Amino acid sequence: NKKDPKYGFNVTYPLSEPHNAKDWFPVKQVLEDQIDSVRFKLQCNKNLMAASNGRLVDVEDGEENTHIYNWFTAYPMAYYLISFAVADYTDFSFNAALSKTGDSVLVQNYIYDSDEVLADWEDEIRETGSMITSFSKLLMDYPFAREKYGHAMAPMGGGMEHQTMTTIHDFGFYLVAHELAHQWFGDYITCGNWQDIWINEGFASYLEFIAAQELRDQDAADGWMANAMSIALGETEGSVYVPEDEVDNTYRLFDNGLTYKKGAILLHMIRYHLDNDEVFFKVLKSYLDQYGNGLATGENFRGILESESGMDFSCFFEQWYYGEGFPRFTVHWSQSGDSLNVRSEQTTTAPAKTPFFSTPFDLEIRYTDGTLELIRLVQEKAIENFSLETKGLVANLVFDPDMHILNSASVIQQLPPDKLFTYGPNPVTDEFYIQFINTSHIDHILITNLSGQEVMRFEDLENPVKMNLSSL
């Protein structure tokens, strides 16, 4: 029983995940033994409403100014997803389209009976419908469409994906996307054991990123990923897969950096390895088809991934799912004529557990004329040397510019030790680039012809400098 600190409404609700359903009803807390149906009768004062799983069958009168809410659900369900919420609610409902024209699902929101709530959140609540449509098209139709999807507001920290009726604090975009995504990943497919909680939380977290791509823009999605990367980089040790001796530790199960953020990044990296969105979403669809209304583990997902892609992900899972930490790259580069020499050295943050990450990575070559070139390389041992053909004078390299892999990286240009400056292109027709060593300022540059006569002078310059020589 809690009081919402902003809106002032009292709410009664449970929170059972992972091991607390037994505190309020008789239950076998066994993931493998799913409940096949629930009939829930909730009696409360007539000024209150009661939300629960499934569809509302009816509301009947009770004694002494009470009424009884009768809810029923007939979809298989894990024990910790049974829920209710009682408060002074109002029903704000609408329908959301599914993947086929004409198909829809009821979106039933039990929100506090206050004009302030709608003023604050109506647009965001309605956007739930767009998310349902988008996820239905990308994955499969919302899996509990015969009943509903809904929200019941409660003063909790974030939300909880109770099947067909999420309990939620507010309607922030990423929170709504995360809890909705759980209806596919966590509810329709539930982790086979708590060690594989990635099946629930990592997948739902990555659907936040996908929701931003689909309903916002790539910049918003990149912002989400940058934040996720920064949090995951704080976890220099620890695996996404939960060790057996920690399955009773709720804080370890729901570790934000490992389970949620790094878990999401694992799917982002798998998408990068596949390098084909059609295949990536086909993997997710096949996974849902095979394991829907049941349980799955990380290894079950790997089996679908390898079957659909024709690729071997055993090394990836050993390093990124069961392994710990992440790679650190130091990239040295120099240019010689039209050749770019790149030396990539890798160490890791948890060398005793995961001494090396075999991975592709992208390098963005930035030329002095402003053009960009993206190349993909593969690191298969701790030190790799690459020789690449260039299209002009290189100004700089950027490692993993689109944030495809979890890493830290330093990029260092190696200037010739026997020269005061580097320059190019040679020959030159218009713009000429010079960079001096160990200085930020250039006093002057004098250009002469073969007879020693001055033909052009530049003074008081920032280092490096780009000069227009087209007049010559």
Side-chain angles (χ1 to χ4, degrees), residues 41-53:
K41 292 177 177 285
L42 293 147
Q43 185 172 359
C44 57
N45 291 345
K46 282 195 172 180
N47 65 311
L48 304 176
M49 298 174 66
S52 190
N53 312 92

Side-chain angles (χ1 to χ4, degrees), residues 111-148:
I111 62 175
Y112 302 138
D113 191 9
S114 164
D115 292 340
E116 186 181 1
V117 173
L118 275 182
D120 289 344
W121 298 110
E122 181 174 357
D123 290 344
E124 289 80 0
I125 295 171
R126 290 189 180 279
E127 194 165 26
T128 307
S130 301
M131 290 182 189
I132 289 174
T133 304
S134 181
F135 288 173
S136 293
K137 291 179 178 178
L138 288 173
L139 304 169
M140 57 168 281
D141 275 335
Y142 171 72
F144 312 113
R146 293 197 311 270
E147 295 180 354
K148 71 169 187 309

Side-chain angles (χ1 to χ4, degrees), residues 198-218:
W198 174 62
I199 294 299
N200 296 19
E201 300 300 346
F203 281 65
S205 296
Y206 191 56
L207 266 290
E208 296 178 46
F209 174 83
I210 290 175
Q213 285 186 311
E214 295 294 313
L215 301 176
R216 294 290 190 262
D217 53 39
Q218 190 59 44

Side-chain angles (χ1 to χ4, degrees), residues 28-45:
K28 283 193 292 181
Q29 295 194 146
V30 178
L31 288 169
E32 293 84 359
D33 189 14
Q34 289 197 314
I35 296 160
D36 56 24
S37 63
V38 180
R39 191 177 302 279
F40 214 143
K41 292 177 177 285
L42 293 147
Q43 185 172 359
C44 57
N45 291 345

Side-chain angles (χ1 to χ4, degrees), residues 354-399:
T354 311
F356 178 72
F357 289 84
S358 176
T359 182
F361 62 86
D362 287 351
L363 278 182
E364 183 179 78
I365 303 174
R366 297 185 174 182
Y367 293 99
T368 56
D369 63 2
T371 60
L372 307 175
E373 181 184 5
L374 191 68
I375 59 170
R376 182 166 298 186
L377 304 173
V378 179
Q379 183 118 11
E380 296 179 330
K381 55 182 183 291
I383 299 176
E384 291 273 15
N385 291 287
F386 306 94
S387 182
L388 310 171
E389 185 177 346
T390 62
K391 300 176 181 179
L393 187 64
V394 178
N396 198 11
L397 300 184
V398 178
F399 188 92

